[in-house]
Amino acid sequence: MAAVGAACAAALVALTAVPAQAHAPVGRPAPHWQLKDTGAPDVRFRGLAAVGRDTAWVAGTGGTVLRTTDGGGTWRDVSPPGAGDLQFRDVEAFDARHAVVLAIGEGEASRVYRTDDGGGTWTESFRNTDTRAFYDCLTFFDRRHGLALSDPVDGRFRVLSTTDGGRSWSVLPDAGMPAALEGEAGFAASGQCLVASGPRDVWLATGGGARARVLHSADRGLTWTAAATPVPAGDPARGVFALAFRDRTHGLAVGGDYRADQPSPRAAATTADGGRTWRPAATPPPAYRSGAAWLPHSRVAALAVGPTGTDLTTDGGRTWRTLDTGSYDTVDCAPDPVCWAAGEKGRVARLER
């Protein structure tokens, strides 16, 4: 599997070096996003879970959840009943039958649902009753242990915890959470403002405050440390929008300013010490990016996506090159190896080569 992942990364490097028709072997197309018809042109999918080459879940506006088990050839609408007014921004899937989705918003608009039968039925396992809370994203360490992140309540980020795969949730104590900066919050842009790697490590990304920060916990959310990043902040529209960690020490942060008429310099950063320190990318993506993912089985290659395109790094996030100019909000990869992306106007694509 590692050899296949390395070959995929090498092919992506070649793709960015010269035009596809100049280097692609006869009869074999260069790596590219292949759009899959979801039949949902009015939905914006910011939640994405890549289970494998054949199976993926997407979640988005209008309470919509779709699932494919044939590589995107067909999609089944498995939306929870009565969820039409909700905005799903994250989905975490364990396989083709078991998944957890998060709806975002103030007060009771923030909810969590779980299915054990491929979306045939859903159970609402959490409904936020605190009007001060606004949940943004969730992550799982394994099939049982996971966390969900809310914007600050009483001056500290609030974290939910589950130990039974999302069937029940409880608010963690905030004594080990550093104080939030004025105006600081998470971004519910891609389901990647809270990410885990390994059995206990988790990171959360922030923006809106004077500095864009990444907070890290090594004990499943009980205690946290905060580190500033070089990604610009100082405005409610700026900060770190997505994180990706390939192990407990090496990570990427991407973001910028989500407003289309505003530039996003220094829109990416890297860490090699678990998030204690962050360095700006020498050549960052050219614009705001809302999602990121490491290529399967690669120590150096990753993708970043946003409304104006997809970028590739082949040196661990130090430099980025544009791969595609299509609009995507989120990206996720599975060990198959395969990568999927999703975004506005019902757009879902699988990376092909």
Side-chain angles (χ1 to χ4, degrees), residues 92-178:
E92 301 289 330
F94 308 114
D95 50 42
R97 296 183 60 79
H98 303 85
V100 179
V101 294
L102 171 73
I104 63 102
E106 297 178 351
E108 294 192 2
S110 285
R111 304 179 194 180
V112 178
Y113 294 80
R114 178 183 165 107
T115 182
D116 294 311
D117 58 6
T121 59
W122 293 87
T123 300
E124 181 184 304
S125 58
F126 172 76
R127 181 179 298 204
N128 174 48
T129 57
D130 190 333
T131 58
R132 301 168 299 171
F134 185 115
Y135 285 85
D136 300 299
C137 44
L138 57 86
T139 192
F140 277 83
F141 302 94
D142 52 42
R143 296 178 72 98
R144 294 182 58 82
H145 300 90
L147 302 176
L149 172 71
S150 166
D151 289 339
V153 175
D154 293 331
R156 299 178 190 274
F157 283 95
R158 174 170 289 181
V159 178
L160 280 181
S161 174
T162 180
T163 59
D164 56 12
R167 295 178 179 87
S168 64
W169 298 83
S170 60
V171 176
L172 290 179
D174 65 3
M177 177 69 71

